Structures are given as C-alpha cells and as structure tokens.
Amino acid sequence: MDRIKARRIGVNMTGADTAAKDWNVLQYLQFEDERSRPSRDLLAQVRLRSARRVVDLGCGPGNSTELLVERFPEAKVMGVDASKEMLRWARERLPECVFLEANLVDWTPPEDTDLLFANAVLQWVPEHQSVMRRMLGGLAEGGVLAVQMPDNTREPSHRLMMEVAARRPWAETRALAGMARAELPDAESYYDQLKPLCRQVEIWHTVYEHVMDGPETIVEWFKGSSLRPFLAALDAAAGDQFLRAYGAEIARTYPRRVDGKTLLRFPRLFVVATR
Amino acid sequence: MDRIKARRIGVNMTGADTAAKDWNVLQYLQFEDERSRPSRDLLAQVRLRSARRVVDLGCGPGNSTELLVERFPEAKVMGVDASKEMLRWARERLPECVFLEANLVDWTPPEDTDLLFANAVLQWVPEHQSVMRRMLGGLAEGGVLAVQMPDNTREPSHRLMMEVAARRPWAETRALAGMARAELPDAESYYDQLKPLCRQVEIWHTVYEHVMDGPETIVEWFKGSSLRPFLAALDAAAGDQFLRAYGAEIARTYPRRVDGKTLLRFPRLFVVATR
C-alpha cells in the first residue's frame, strides 16, 4: 500500500502503527476500488429512505462502513467483526462509529436496527442461511438485510487452489484438504428460506470481469482472501512453493488480453431481504 | 396496461390513440419495472459528470430515454429507433426530446455526442461488435458507449423456444428455425475488440432472478420480446398452439417457490467503454 492510498483511507502509516502492520489488512486494501464496487452495487438496491441504526456485519477495515455513513448520515452506524486487527483499522478510519468484536454466529443486533449490511462475510459463516433467518427475525417491519457473498468456488481461480493442494507434497498436509469454502446454495434456496419471513426478497448474481495487470495480480488478489487459509496451514517456504505452483496454473488459465492485461471473472451473489 | 400505468408513463389512452394501440408496445411495457432495472444498473456505471449530447440507441417507447433526461438535465437527449410505433409512443412520453427513425447498422451519431446508451438493442443488430467499434470511433476523448444486452440464449426459457419450434407441426414452418438470436460472444472478445479504441472497458454480467407471479407470467414476458419473431411467422391459431406447448414446458422447468411465485433467471451482459 502506498502512502497516497494510506492517506486516502485515513490510515496512519508512521509511528507506532507501522510496526503493527498486518499483512492481511494491507493485502486486502490493495484492491480496494475493485472490492468496493460490490458493496456499492449492494447498497444501491437498499431502498430505505432513512435508518435509525445501521449495522455493518463483518465490517473489516471499515471500507463498507464508510459507504454506510455517507448514505445514512442520520443513522447510528455500527461495525461488527471477529478480527481485532481489522477493528483497530476501522476505528482509526471512522472514529465517530462504534466497532464491536463479535462472532456473527450468535450475535444479535440491537432492537432499533433498520439495516443489516453483510458484505463479503457470510461465506465464512457455517449454516449462514440460519444466521440470516435469525437476524431477519430480529428486524422490525420494513427492516432490511442486505447480503453479498463471493460465489466463485466453481471458478478456475478456486478449482486451481484445490488442484494444487491435492499434489505432493501438499497432499500430505491434511489441513489443506478442508480449506476451500463450500459452494453456495442456489438462488431458489435463499428465496425459499427467507421469503416466509419477508415481504420481498430480491436476488441476483453479478459476474465482474476485473481488469488485472496480469496473472500474478490474480495471485496477489487471492492472497488477501481465499488463499489465506491455505497459506496459514503452511510454513513460509512451503507457502512460497504453493504460490509458485498456483501462479503457474493461473498464468495458463487466465491469458493476457490484447493490451497485456488479464480479466478475472468473479461471480458474486446478492440478496436484499425486506421484512 | 391499466390506466394508472398509462398515466404514469404519460400515454394518452383515450381518443384516437386507443384504436392504434400496438400490442408489442403494450406487451413490452407490461414488465416496465423489471425491465428498467438493467438500464438503471447500466447508467449507474456511467461516470460522466455532464454531457453535451446523449443518444438513446434503440430507445423503444422511451423508458430508458426518460432515465437519461433525469440524469443529464443539461444535455440534448435524442432517441433513435427503427420502429415507427415505438417512436410515436416515445414522442408522446417525452415531447421535449428529439426522436429519429434510423437503423443502427449505418446510423452515425452527431459529433457533439458524449454518451451513446444502448439498452437491450444491440442483440438484434448483426455484427454488433463492428457497429460498437464504428460508433466508438465517432466519439471524442472521454466519450462513453454504454451497452446492455440479454445474454440468455443458453437459458431454459430460450432453449425451450427452440425445442418446441423443432417439433411437428412447427418444424415444417422453415422460418421458425432461424428465429433464435445467436449466442453473444464472451467478455474477453468484447474486451479485445474494443480496448484498442478505448481508455477503459468495463464488462460484467448480471443474472437477475425476477420474481414472477407464475410460469404463465414468464410466457407473457417473452411475448413482448424473444417470442415475437416466432409468433410473427405463425398465424393466430398456430401461434396459440405454439404458446400452449411452450407454456407447458416452462411450467415444468420453472417450478413455483414456497410462496407460489416463480423465479425467472435472466443473465444480461453490460459493457461500458470510455474513449
């Protein structure tokens, strides 16, 4: 992350914080513009005119929280995340908001919540359809649960993680086998699960074609998200070897286009459920 | 179309116009809210702050033209369509705009055009990638070509039109065989064709899950668009028989959900190219 970007997102990179830099946060923020398009697309379909309280579920370093503050200046905006490190960055970025460390599996939103915004988080939560039902159950009439999740487990970018993990020597690292996220249920399943609790359930997928500088940039992108569990299970040298093998497959599968760039096809699921 | 909707879109349904009602226009407007979401989504990604002239290519009855007038109040907004009937409705809806009858294959936009907006039209234009290149060639630096096309030829809704058309007695109506639209090229192909002319090319697909009252509503929907060439090749009785056979297949393939509604999966391709 360069200093200009650091300034733009309000992060202090000098002094005490420099030492505490967390590569996951930096890695994640590296593609902030591309990663924020889905949250802007999700927010565009939330038709609330105003809100008493807005909760950003899985707020991360506060990118999406900032969008919510801009859109609902009258609301109490609150961020919830399980990562202390992410919350520290979020608090520095948005000192006027409340940020809370909690696990979404059993956390219950305050009663005056009008919007629950869950951008790119519920894919990590087991049985997330039950969590969505429970959260919706706590909203008053007219309250909205807005959800976006990557739905890219069938994409080459993900299949190749599994293919490489199945090779020697990684096949012997038993932990790797269970690292991939499960496939998301289909649109019909979300509709049938949520509609009995809701006045309206809108569902769509958007398949972004992100323009990347090259295949190696695709590897960089996933180092900040889906590759994390794989790398966490390996020591540094084994992790580098894994990344090289994965990178070679990515370069074969995502060729450069006419201008030398590479397109990263990235499907995402959106659900906007209104009580 | 009921009178309330007619009033909302500014169409005079009394007097001389009543006699001239064109079922295609009425059929098309029947799902106006669902059909306008894609043009709103497309417009949201056009980042021009202002425009001198905006052209709505394939303006139809003026739904998308109206969005353009709202978004660019300072611009000269112009609609172009090949259908006299559609243009008549558009002129009544937006008397302040200029509407022009022309074929996009050889029509050239005025020199001061800053935005060419082509919502749900280029899928009907043969060799439309060449048309896009030619149109882009006429834009000044910073000018935008924004395109949305249904990309649903691989969906059951379309495969079933072809399947029914291949049955007796319709298989003998030779015209039916050539009725289906060709598949769209993939995202990479649009990128490689347009990027050499452009500073930036953004591409994505959105797969809408339209909530329909039931399978029969899906048939109604396509009567206003993709079924039109099939029905035009048949007389009224044969057309009814075709619709009944198609409707039976649709009912089998698009089951009702928990609340009795049916989800119509509808993929669309979006391209926003900036000179």
Side-chain angles (χ1 to χ4, degrees):
Chain A
M1 184 162 71
D2 59 32
R3 274 164 191 279
I4 293 168
K5 189 137 197 178
R7 256 200 309 280
R8 187 162 73 71
I9 65 166
V11 172
N12 173 14
M13 287 191 60
T14 57
D17 279 315
T18 316
K21 275 188 304 183
D22 175 307
W23 76 265
N24 284 337
V25 177
L26 293 174
Q27 196 79 36
Y28 190 85
L29 289 171
Q30 200 182 338
F31 299 98
E32 190 178 7
D33 291 336
E34 290 81 1
R35 287 205 216 265
S36 76
R37 163 99 192 261
S39 49
R40 285 183 276 121
D41 286 354
L42 177 61
L43 189 53
Q45 297 308 317
V46 172
R47 285 186 208 86
L48 288 170
R49 286 207 198 120
S50 65
R52 292 168 299 166
R53 184 185 295 274
V54 170
V55 181
D56 190 10
L57 301 169
C59 59
N63 330 19
S64 47
T65 323
E66 194 165 24
L67 289 178
L68 294 168
V69 170
E70 279 166 23
R71 167 70 190 277
F72 297 104
E74 75 290 350
K76 284 169 277 182
V77 178
M78 182 175 175
V80 179
D81 205 284
S83 154
K84 280 191 171 54
E85 191 56 28
M86 289 283 191
L87 288 169
R88 219 168 55 80
W89 285 66
R91 285 188 188 110
E92 218 174 315
R93 183 177 184 147
L94 295 166
E96 73 275 26
C97 295
V98 172
F99 290 96
L100 194 76
E101 187 187 338
N103 189 325
L104 301 186
V105 175
D106 50 22
W107 185 74
T108 297
E111 271 187 18
D112 61 349
T113 302
D114 289 324
L115 172 60
L116 289 165
F117 194 79
N119 182 62
V121 62
L122 290 180
Q123 75 275 12
W124 298 111
V125 176
E127 312 278 351
H128 64 247
Q129 286 188 338
S130 306
V131 174
M132 290 167 80
R133 287 172 59 94
R134 189 175 57 74
M135 296 250 183
L136 273 166
L139 293 180
E141 201 187 319
V144 173
L145 169 66
V147 173
Q148 184 273 116
M149 287 178 275
D151 193 4
N152 58 348
T153 51
R154 287 170 298 266
E155 291 298 299
S157 57
H158 272 62
R159 282 192 294 95
L160 292 170
M161 287 177 203
M162 296 308 294
E163 264 180 54
V164 172
R167 287 185 201 162
R168 301 171 125 258
W170 303 294
E172 283 136 47
T173 307
R174 288 198 60 222
L176 281 197
M179 284 313 162
R181 292 200 318 270
E183 280 187 18
L184 291 187
D186 61 17
E188 285 79 3
S189 162
Y190 287 95
Y191 192 85
D192 287 348
Q193 284 292 313
L194 305 181
K195 189 58 181 43
L197 294 165
C198 293
R199 182 199 305 175
Q200 192 184 35
V201 178
E202 283 181 272
I203 304 177
W204 72 98
H205 282 85
T206 293
V207 184
Y208 299 95
E209 300 279 350
H210 294 301
V211 180
M212 313 297 277
D213 282 339
E216 62 287 353
T217 323
I218 297 182
V219 179
E220 280 299 302
W221 172 292
F222 287 114
K223 272 164 75 177
S225 57
S226 309
L227 280 170
R228 284 171 52 197
F230 292 91
L231 297 176
L234 300 168
D235 66 30
D240 283 347
Q241 203 189 342
F242 185 90
L243 286 177
R244 272 197 304 277
Y246 176 68
E249 293 299 333
I250 287 290
R252 255 193 286 281
T253 314
Y254 292 87
R256 290 182 191 270
R257 309 314 317 166
V258 66
D259 60 347
K261 307 276 186 179
T262 309
L263 297 182
L264 171 60
R265 200 187 115 93
F266 202 124
R268 294 175 182 273
L269 169 72
F270 295 79
V271 179
V272 177
T274 307
R275 275 286 274 176
Chain B
M1 183 164 69
D2 59 31
R3 272 161 194 281
I4 292 168
K5 188 137 199 178
R7 254 201 308 279
R8 189 161 72 73
I9 64 164
V11 171
N12 173 15
M13 288 191 61
T14 58
D17 280 315
T18 316
K21 274 188 306 183
D22 174 306
W23 75 264
N24 284 336
V25 179
L26 293 174
Q27 195 80 35
Y28 190 85
L29 289 172
Q30 199 181 339
F31 299 98
E32 191 180 6
D33 291 336
E34 290 81 1
R35 286 203 217 262
S36 76
R37 162 98 193 262
S39 48
R40 284 183 278 119
D41 286 354
L42 178 61
L43 189 53
Q45 297 309 316
V46 173
R47 287 187 206 87
L48 288 171
R49 287 205 196 123
S50 65
R52 292 168 298 166
R53 184 185 295 275
V54 170
V55 181
D56 190 9
L57 300 169
C59 61
N63 330 22
S64 46
T65 323
E66 195 166 24
L67 290 178
L68 293 169
V69 169
E70 279 166 25
R71 168 70 190 276
F72 296 104
E74 74 291 351
K76 285 169 277 182
V77 178
M78 182 176 174
V80 179
D81 206 284
S83 155
K84 280 193 171 54
E85 192 56 29
M86 289 284 190
L87 288 169
R88 219 168 55 80
W89 284 67
R91 286 189 188 108
E92 218 173 315
R93 182 176 184 149
L94 296 165
E96 72 275 27
C97 295
V98 171
F99 289 96
L100 193 75
E101 188 187 336
N103 189 324
L104 301 187
V105 175
D106 51 21
W107 185 74
T108 298
E111 271 187 18
D112 61 347
T113 303
D114 288 324
L115 173 60
L116 289 165
F117 194 80
N119 183 61
V121 62
L122 290 180
Q123 74 276 12
W124 297 111
V125 176
E127 312 278 352
H128 65 249
Q129 287 188 338
S130 307
V131 174
M132 290 166 81
R133 287 172 59 93
R134 191 175 55 74
M135 296 249 183
L136 271 166
L139 292 180
E141 201 188 317
V144 173
L145 168 67
V147 172
Q148 183 273 117
M149 288 178 274
D151 193 5
N152 58 348
T153 50
R154 288 170 297 264
E155 291 297 300
S157 57
H158 271 63
R159 284 193 291 96
L160 292 170
M161 287 178 202
M162 295 309 294
E163 263 179 56
V164 172
R167 288 185 201 161
R168 301 173 122 257
W170 303 293
E172 283 137 48
T173 307
R174 288 199 59 221
L176 281 197
M179 284 314 163
R181 291 200 319 273
E183 280 188 18
L184 291 188
D186 60 18
E188 285 80 3
S189 161
Y190 286 96
Y191 192 85
D192 287 348
Q193 285 291 313
L194 305 181
K195 190 59 183 35
L197 294 165
C198 294
R199 182 198 304 177
Q200 191 184 37
V201 178
E202 283 181 89
I203 304 177
W204 72 97
H205 282 84
T206 293
V207 184
Y208 300 95
E209 299 280 349
H210 293 301
V211 180
M212 312 296 279
D213 282 340
E216 61 288 351
T217 323
I218 296 181
V219 180
E220 280 300 303
W221 172 291
F222 287 113
K223 272 165 75 177
S225 56
S226 309
L227 280 170
R228 285 170 53 198
F230 293 90
L231 297 175
L234 300 169
D235 66 29
D240 283 349
Q241 204 189 340
F242 185 90
L243 287 177
R244 273 197 302 278
Y246 175 67
E249 294 298 334
I250 288 289
R252 255 193 288 279
T253 315
Y254 292 87
R256 289 183 191 273
R257 310 313 316 168
V258 65
D259 59 347
K261 307 277 187 179
T262 309
L263 297 182
L264 171 61
R265 200 186 115 93
F266 202 124
R268 293 175 182 273
L269 169 71
F270 295 78
V271 180
V272 177
T274 306
R275 275 286 274 175

